[in-house]
Amino acid sequence: MGIPAIDPSEVGATGLAWLLISYGYVLYAASNLISEGSDLLLLVPSLAGLVGGVVLPLLGAVPDGAIMLFSGLGDVEEAQKTLSIGVGALAGSTIMLLTVPWALCVFAGKVDFSGPEEMPNYKGSPKLRDTSTCGALTTTGVALTPEIHHGAKMMMLTTLPYFLIQIPALFLSGDR
């Protein structure tokens, strides 16, 4: 007994278009409901920390987990291939969602360096004189607060489990 699925050759181009539109609408409606519900939960001050720190990340991870679960069903060889593609896509999207906002924040928050120690000058006027790209790379920047240092250390610490798995995997080879 196989997994119930729609064979693309059976539905044709219009059927595939309909499936795309209907699945897209369901995902759009579900994401709007989650967004509205999370906004309402954040309005309760006693629950705001719990909602923002636990509930919302959990709700964001559930669809990813469901995609990984359902891509692993079926034949073992096919499941291995689809899982490796799914894990790669999930890791890539997570990395992009961390990198793009960070780069935009650094770009938007940069100010001119001043003084003999070349520290960012947040009190100067104007805050940013040289807007050219090449000059901006050496004469502008952002300040690193203790919170940023702590966050960087935590991010480095959380990569250790990844390396515990990835380093032995580098030495394994074959089509197993």
Side-chain angles (χ1 to χ4, degrees), residues 39-111:
D39 288 345
L40 291 174
L41 284 173
L42 287 173
L43 292 175
V44 180
S46 63
L47 295 177
L50 177 70
V51 169
V54 177
V55 175
L56 294 181
L58 185 64
L59 287 176
V62 167
D64 297 334
I67 290 171
M68 297 306 300
L69 172 69
F70 291 115
S71 67
L73 297 176
D75 187 32
V76 174
E77 289 82 21
E78 184 67 27
Q80 182 66 36
K81 188 188 312 180
T82 57
L83 276 176
S84 65
I85 292 169
V87 168
L90 182 60
S93 68
T94 303
I95 290 168
M96 186 210 59
L97 288 173
L98 289 172
T99 306
V100 170
W102 173 79
L104 290 174
C105 289
V106 169
F107 180 76
K110 67 183 178 179
V111 295

Side-chain angles (χ1 to χ4, degrees), residues 84-160:
S84 65
I85 292 169
V87 168
L90 182 60
S93 68
T94 303
I95 290 168
M96 186 210 59
L97 288 173
L98 289 172
T99 306
V100 170
W102 173 79
L104 290 174
C105 289
V106 169
F107 180 76
K110 67 183 178 179
V111 295
D112 288 330
F113 288 143
S114 67
E117 297 169 0
E118 294 292 319
M119 297 298 293
N121 183 16
Y122 286 101
K123 295 181 181 174
S125 180
K127 294 185 186 303
L128 193 60
R129 289 186 302 266
D130 186 11
T131 58
S132 67
T133 305
C134 293
L137 290 176
T138 58
T139 61
T140 62
V142 295
L144 299 178
T145 62
E147 291 84 7
I148 294 173
H149 286 283
H150 177 71
K153 288 176 187 173
M154 292 305 295
M155 287 172 52
M156 295 299 286
L157 186 66
T158 57
T159 60
L160 290 178

Side-chain angles (χ1 to χ4, degrees), residues 2-62:
I3 300 170
I6 299 172
D7 189 11
S9 62
E10 294 177 1
V11 295
T14 55
L16 285 176
W18 172 252
L19 289 173
L20 176 73
I21 291 169
S22 60
Y23 290 159
Y25 176 75
V26 168
L27 288 174
Y28 173 75
S31 68
N32 279 341
L33 290 173
I34 289 173
S35 175
E36 290 172 9
S38 65
D39 288 345
L40 291 174
L41 284 173
L42 287 173
L43 292 175
V44 180
S46 63
L47 295 177
L50 177 70
V51 169
V54 177
V55 175
L56 294 181
L58 185 64
L59 287 176
V62 167

